[in-house]
Every structure is written in C-alpha cells, then in structure tokens.
Amino acid sequence: MRRRNSLYIFTIPALLVLALFFIHPVLLTLDMSFTSYKGIGEAKDVGWRNYDRIFSRERYYSEIWLTLWYTVIVVTALTILGLFFAAMLHRLPLIRNFARAALYTPAMMSFVVVGYVWQFLYSPLNGGINVALRDLGLGALEQNWLGDPALAIYSVAFTQIWMFTGFTCAIFLAGFAGIPEEINEAGRLEGANSWQRFRYLELPLLGPAITVSVTLTTIGTLRTFELPFILTKGGPDGATRLLSIEIIDNLFGQYKFGFASALSIIMLIIVLTVAFVQNKILRDREDVS
Amino acid sequence: MAELSMNKVVKRYGATQVVHGVDLDIKDGEFCVFVGPSGCGKSTLLRMIAGLEETSEGRMTIGPKDVTHFDPAERGVAMVFQTYALYPHMTVRENMSFGLKISGEDKTVIKEKVDKAGQILKLADYMDRKPKALSGGQRQRVAIGRAIVRQPDVFLFDEPLSNLDAELRVEMRVEIARLHKQLGATMIYVTHDQVEAMTMADKIVVLRAGRIEQVGAPVELYENPDNLFVAGFIGSPRMNFFDGEVIELGFHQVMVTVPRLGNVVVPVAVQSELRLGQPVTLGLRPEHFDPKGDVKVTLPIDVHENLGGVSYVYSNSDEADLPIIVELRGQRPPVGSDLEIGLNPEFALLFDPQSEERIR
C-alpha cells in the first residue's frame, strides 16, 4: 500500500505547476467575477449581479449563439477540408511532404499578419478579392466582404478555415499513416474503388484522428479572438461580436474587470461542456466502429 | 479455376531490376510454392500476379485472359496477407462480405456464401466478433474465408503462417492443404519455410535474386537438385558439400578423392565426360552417412544434438567454414570422441565448383 501511495509523489511537480498557473488564475477570475472591480481601486463585492446581467439580456445570448454558430461552421469546414486534402495527399506520395508543408504554412504565421493580409484582400474598393473578380469579368460578384453584416461572420470564418486547414490535414495524414497499407491492398483486390476504400475502410479507421482534430479545433475556435478582432473588431453592427471580443472589450475597452471575469467563467464552462460532450460522443463512436 | 502462365516477366524499380525474366507455368488446381531466401523476389512475384505491383515487362495470363496490365480486382485472384489485413472495424461476417457487398451481390447470396465459408473454416461461432477478439489462427481463417467467398480463379498466400506460433503453424498447414483438396483451386503460396514448401506443394519454385533456380515436385528437388543453391537450400539440416578431385575415370563412374574426409575415395555415378584432376564439389545429405556404408570415414565430434528419434553430429575442421553434419539413429557417441561411420556413395551428387551446376 505504501509503495502505491508513494507513486503519487511523482505527480507533485506537475500538480504544482497546474495549480499555480491554471487553477489559481481560474479561482482568481471566479472570485473577481463576483465584484465590480475596475482595474484600480477597491474590488466591491456585488454578489451574482454580473451573472444576472449576462442572463437577463438578449445581447449576451445572441453572442453565445454566434460563437457556437461560428464554431460549427469553422470546425465542420476544417474537418471536411482537412480530410479531403489528407485523402488526396495520401494517394499522391510524391508531392505529399511538400504539399503538407505548404498547407501548414498559414498555421505557422502570426494571427496579426494573417489578419492584416486578409483585411487587405477583403477591403471593398481596392482589395485583392474584389480586384481579382473585376479583372476576371465577375464584377457582379463583388462584395463588401467585411462591411456587410450578413456576410462578415463568414468572411472571418473563411480566413480562420484558410489558416487551419493545413493543421487538420496534418492530423489526418498522421491518421492515414497509421492505417496499414495491406488494408488498402486487400480492399483493392476485392474490387473497392478509391472512394469506396475511403468511405468503408479509411474513414472508420480514422476515428481517433477525427476525435483529436475535432476536439482541438473546437476548443481553439470557441476561444478565438485574434482574427475577428483584427478584421472587424466585432462589427459591423455586432455581426462578428463573438464572446471573446465581448470579453476583451469589457476588459480593456471599458475596464469592467469584474464583468469580463464573469463572461470568462461562462466561456470556460461552455468550452469545457462542449469539449466533454463532444469527446464522449466521438469516443463512443470510435468504439462502435 | 484456371491455369497461370508467366512469360519473361520482369520487375524494375527505377534502375534496379528485382525480377529477371521469369518463365513459369502453373497448372489448373496446382498448389505451387515459391520459396527462397529473403529478398529473392518471391513476394514481389506474388504481388505482381495479384496486380499490386506493376509488371515492367513480359506477359502474364490467367486462364484465357492476358492480365498483365489488369487492375487487381479484374484478375480473378484473392490474396491472404502475412498480417491478415482484416478490416479491424468490421465483424468477421462483415469482413468476409465486404468484397461481395461492394460488387453489388444480392444480400441473400452473400449470406449463403459467407455462411458456407464460415462452416468450411469452422468460424460459425465467431461471425459477429471483431478481429481483435480472435486468436491468431482464427484471424488467419477469416482472411482465408474472405478469399474463399469471392471464388477466385487463383488463391495467393503471402507467408500466411509466419505470424503464428509453431503448433498453430502445423495445424494451419494441414488445414490449408485440406482446403486445397476440397476446393481444387489453383493456389500460389510464398514462404521461406522449406518445411511448408516440402509438405504442401505439388510444385516448388526455388528463387534466388529474382531468378528461378529450379522448378519441380518437392521430392525431385530434394533428390535431384540442378545446382548447388537448390541442393543447399532444400533439406534441413542442409546438404554437406566437400571439395574433391577426380582421380580415376570409369564407365559412367568416376572416383573422387575428398581431402576433408581423410582423402577417402568415393565412387560416383555420372553420365557426362570428366577429366582426370578435375576439381568437383561433392554433395552428401546428413542421412546418407550410414554405419553400414561402403566408404568408411572418421570424424571428430564437436557438437551432438539429440532430437529423440534422430540426432545430429557436427564436426568442424580448421580448413572449412561449415561443419559436417551427420544424422545418426540410435547411436549416442560422446562429444570429443571420434565418430567411425560409413557413407553411401550412391547418393553422392557432383557439382561444378565454378558454375555451381550439377554434373550428371
């Protein structure tokens, strides 16, 4: 018994780091979320008033829904595109490594660089996309990509998808590499064409890679802040005001530390819940398949 | 069911040629075994038949069809892989049904065929299990079942038993032989285990470095090898080889002196013309040493391996790399002593040391 307990001693350094840099800040935030702290001066205890405000106003609900919708779009597109490119590249071993590196490059760039590049591309008059459309004789398709409230969220989502497709593609390529070549050869001998081999053999065996990819991109996208902040600052007319933008705005725009903390706690709960539920569903599916 | 024929078949990877113009005919219903050391091209040749490797040159026919450039699925072959290559996410039944299902076969027909294969292979109780819940032998049977249900013209086996333990290997060996009899199908089987080759084959193809060394029935290869390689490769323990010299010519017979055996003179029957003083390699299998043999030799005993029924004596010497191996029955001479034994010259074979070809 003593021996077994002594094993836990080895987890102490990790637990210390976790407690110091993760649990402690979360507790501090939780504590602050019950105050009206303004960054300086005294933190006055206001009880549940911050939370009361969040749940009694339509605007915060719609921001939460917007964040979830944005995540659904981005994660779905990342998963499908990543799978598509990985399936293609898996069948093209000659260009696989080069193409993987090329696809991954956007994910290595800073959000700020990507944000400003795409802000230029999206800009309504002389932006790259509209000029290209005009030059191709498709002037009718020109849009005010970031200025149109109905379109802005999808423009931002597209940038995020462009940035991280290489990331999911790399995860799926690793998944493909884990499938023994003989499985594919057996499928070929049995007359399965490329699509059938993908659909019936590779896709089910990619289960673990799908779980990893979906979980990581979901968590990343729910928390995303940089791209909408640089591209639209939450505008136009709140069309891209994700929860993270709201938090930053309250924190550094209006110095409502207490209220921003309450929003952060809500966001943490959402992220944890979504990640937990998703992981459970995907893992169960993996086991079945 | 169909016969298979290869005509000057070549495989190249870039500039490297790994199969050099193989000519081979396999009859309908024959059990043909490809055997040879690692890297001899036996698996490559099998994969070329399957269509998993492109044939660089030459022609290949299965039955009346020229399949040289056919897709794997169009060739009418089924393959059993060394690693079984079962689909891990499917049950045994789904694994066996997959090929039929995607070819659009009727559901009741699929069920009938799969049930029948399950029965033949004694898998009926495991049909709803996943491969990971099966033992190695059962997985191998599922892989064979997957091949059977498609009723191919030719079955291909790529070292199917090398992942099994010794006992199971013997069991499955018998089972595959039984299956061959039951189905009467053409089967091609790759192995590096010559016991499998000797026991299962109707015809053995010995390969070395991408070339066929000899084709023949197991006993023919054992008793009548064409060259030093086949003589040394077939048979376990291997054949003993001795450097010798022709010292006397007779009618259809020569006298060969063997320095390694104390310069004894061995009479060997040959048809071809030899000359006096010609160097030769004399081959003699371990079981052809015999206490009652006409030619007596004395060998120092270095190692004595007792296998119960038979035992093997290993005798080293400073001049040669490999020990002489002698098979004994009933005798248990102590290590370190000298073994007095005879040999039966009528079983001795002669080879040309230069070309390594048999002198007949």
Side-chain angles (χ1 to χ4, degrees):
Chain A
M1 225 30 219
R2 235 195 104 245
R3 274 180 66 93
R4 186 171 285 181
N5 283 336
S6 67
L7 286 176
Y8 290 106
I9 294 172
F10 293 100
T11 65
I12 286 178
L15 287 176
L16 272 179
V17 171
L18 199 67
L20 195 65
F21 294 105
F22 181 71
I23 297 172
H24 179 237
V26 169
L27 290 177
L28 275 185
T29 310
L30 187 66
D31 188 37
M32 208 185 283
S33 72
F34 294 108
T35 70
S36 62
Y37 188 53
K38 291 245 188 300
I40 44 169
E42 211 179 321
K44 222 168 42 192
D45 200 348
V46 293
W48 289 94
R49 206 193 305 155
N50 287 331
Y51 291 96
D52 189 40
R53 184 182 152 95
I54 294 171
F55 290 114
S56 60
R57 299 210 179 171
E58 194 61 34
R59 122 177 224 177
Y60 299 109
Y61 278 111
S62 61
E63 278 168 14
I64 290 171
W65 280 119
L66 186 69
T67 307
L68 290 174
W69 175 232
Y70 180 80
T71 306
V72 169
I73 298 168
V74 171
V75 171
T76 309
L78 281 179
T79 309
I80 292 171
L81 283 173
L83 260 177
F84 172 77
F85 283 117
M88 289 291 141
L89 292 178
H90 182 63
R91 285 158 171 72
L92 301 167
L94 279 180
I95 62 158
R96 189 187 301 154
N97 285 344
F98 169 77
R100 175 171 47 194
L103 269 174
Y104 197 77
T105 311
M108 293 192 289
M109 288 198 267
S110 138
F111 278 106
V112 180
V113 174
V114 171
Y116 281 111
V117 167
W118 279 88
Q119 198 175 48
F120 159 73
L121 288 173
Y122 280 140
S123 74
L125 293 176
N126 293 316
I129 294 174
N130 280 350
V131 169
L133 286 173
R134 229 175 292 148
D135 289 352
L136 289 169
L138 298 168
L141 294 176
E142 273 185 62
Q143 301 287 343
N144 188 355
W145 300 103
L146 294 174
D148 181 346
L151 206 60
I153 188 80
Y154 301 103
S155 302
V156 176
F158 183 83
T159 307
Q160 182 134 9
I161 292 161
W162 172 83
M163 202 170 163
F164 289 108
T165 296
F167 173 72
T168 53
C169 176
I171 294 177
F172 289 130
L173 271 175
F176 270 110
I179 301 175
E181 188 51 34
E182 286 91 0
I183 298 252
N184 231 320
E185 291 180 343
R188 272 175 71 195
L189 276 162
E190 296 204 276
N193 62 32
S194 198
W195 164 252
Q196 286 169 325
R197 293 202 302 275
F198 174 74
R199 170 67 192 82
Y200 297 113
L201 303 182
E202 289 167 346
L203 196 59
L205 295 176
L206 283 174
I210 294 174
T211 305
V212 170
S213 166
V214 168
T215 309
L216 288 181
T217 50
T218 303
I219 294 172
T221 313
L222 278 172
R223 298 181 314 173
T224 200
F225 140 75
E226 295 91 337
L227 284 178
F229 185 76
I230 295 164
L231 287 169
T232 59
K233 296 237 167 24
D237 194 23
T240 59
R241 202 170 171 86
L242 302 176
L243 204 50
S244 53
I245 302 272
E246 183 70 44
I247 293 171
I248 293 294
D249 187 37
N250 274 288
L251 202 60
F252 298 112
Q254 307 171 44
Y255 300 106
K256 290 184 182 167
F257 279 47
F259 186 67
S261 299
L263 281 172
S264 303
I265 294 294
I266 298 288
M267 182 152 149
L268 181 69
I269 291 169
I270 292 174
V271 171
L272 287 179
T273 314
V274 170
F276 179 80
V277 171
Q278 204 172 50
N279 215 20
K280 173 118 185 60
I281 293 170
L282 289 170
R283 284 227 176 273
D284 287 353
R285 225 191 61 95
E286 252 175 61
D287 219 41
V288 171
S289 57
Chain B
M1 309 302 130
E3 66 281 352
L4 181 139
S5 154
M6 283 185 258
N7 193 352
K8 304 245 176 325
V9 164
V10 168
K11 177 69 192 174
R12 264 187 231 104
Y13 293 107
T16 329
Q17 190 164 339
V18 292
V19 173
H20 305 267
V22 164
D23 285 310
L24 182 65
D25 288 303
I26 298 166
K27 289 205 265 313
D28 183 16
E30 204 164 32
F31 197 114
C32 176
V33 174
F34 293 175
V35 68
S38 301
C40 69
K42 55 190 190 298
S43 279
T44 309
L45 199 57
L46 191 80
R47 290 170 59 84
M48 284 161 74
I49 297 171
L52 295 171
E53 301 282 351
E54 191 72 30
T55 302
S56 313
E57 250 175 60
R59 239 179 116 232
M60 196 182 290
T61 57
I62 295 176
K65 294 181 288 183
D66 182 341
V67 298
T68 317
H69 299 292
F70 273 27
D71 264 353
E74 297 165 356
R75 296 184 175 216
V77 299
M79 184 157 164
V80 176
F81 292 83
Q82 180 177 357
T83 54
Y84 320 136
L86 299 179
Y87 310 129
H89 55 296
M90 298 184 192
T91 62
V92 170
R93 177 178 295 282
E94 288 165 338
N95 260 286
M96 299 209 283
S97 316
F98 182 71
L100 297 173
K101 205 175 97 188
I102 54 170
S103 68
E105 186 78 75
D106 188 62
K107 266 191 188 150
T108 49
V109 178
I110 296 179
K111 188 169 181 325
E112 201 177 298
K113 284 184 178 175
V114 170
D115 281 340
K116 194 172 160 220
Q119 223 160 33
I120 293 174
L121 294 162
K122 298 178 206 131
L123 284 167
D125 296 339
Y126 307 102
M127 293 307 256
D128 296 318
R129 287 206 198 166
K130 295 265 175 70
K132 69 176 173 199
L134 299 177
S135 70
Q138 289 164 342
R139 283 180 207 184
Q140 188 55 266
R141 283 211 283 270
V142 177
I144 295 171
R146 201 168 60 177
I148 290 178
V149 293
R150 294 184 50 234
Q151 297 174 324
D153 295 330
V154 179
F155 283 84
L156 308 173
F157 294 89
D158 189 5
E159 308 207 17
L161 306 187
S162 41
N163 281 6
L164 301 178
D165 61 50
E167 201 179 330
L168 213 50
R169 208 176 303 165
V170 176
E171 206 177 290
M172 286 303 294
R173 205 165 72 200
V174 176
E175 199 134 326
I176 292 176
R178 178 179 66 87
L179 200 69
H180 176 240
K181 215 170 268 164
Q182 196 171 346
L183 300 174
T186 312
M187 293 188 174
I188 304 175
Y189 188 105
V190 163
T191 182
H192 59 258
D193 180 346
Q194 51 157 308
V195 179
E196 282 173 25
M198 294 297 287
T199 53
M200 300 169 88
D202 294 325
K203 175 192 272 180
I204 295 182
V205 178
V206 183
L207 289 153
R208 176 167 64 157
R211 288 190 177 82
I212 292 183
E213 291 286 331
Q214 192 175 352
V215 179
V219 177
E220 191 190 331
L221 258 55
Y222 188 81
E223 289 177 350
N224 203 2
D226 276 347
N227 52 47
L228 268 178
F229 178 77
V230 175
F233 192 79
I234 300 287
S236 176
R238 61 171 176 80
M239 188 185 272
N240 296 297
F241 295 117
F242 306 101
D243 292 335
E245 192 187 322
V246 176
I247 53 162
E248 200 184 316
L249 302 172
F251 179 69
H252 287 176
Q253 176 173 300
V254 292
M255 292 298 188
V256 176
T257 168
V258 182
R260 177 95 192 263
L261 295 174
N263 283 320
V264 291
V265 177
V266 183
V268 187
V270 286
Q271 306 291 320
S272 31
E273 295 275 313
L274 298 180
R275 58 186 161 72
L276 274 179
Q278 179 173 344
V280 290
T281 300
L282 184 133
L284 193 69
R285 294 208 182 270
E287 69 265 30
H288 295 145
F289 286 92
D290 181 355
K292 294 189 223 84
D294 302 335
V295 181
K296 298 292 178 199
V297 294
T298 305
L299 298 168
I301 300 174
D302 288 301
V303 176
H304 183 218
E305 276 182 355
N306 193 352
L307 303 184
V310 294
S311 61
Y312 295 105
V313 164
Y314 293 78
S315 173
N316 286 305
S317 92
D318 295 337
E319 301 101 72
D321 296 338
L322 293 169
I324 301 171
I325 307 171
V326 179
E327 183 183 304
L328 297 176
R329 282 176 192 276
Q331 268 175 288
R332 307 250 161 93
V335 172
S337 67
D338 279 352
L339 175 68
E340 307 276 342
I341 194 148
L343 58 85
N344 287 326
E346 67 267 33
F347 294 110
L349 307 175
L350 286 189
F351 301 90
D352 183 332
Q354 226 90 61
S355 68
E356 302 197 347
E357 290 301 312
R358 172 90 178 275
I359 303 171
R360 292 178 190 274

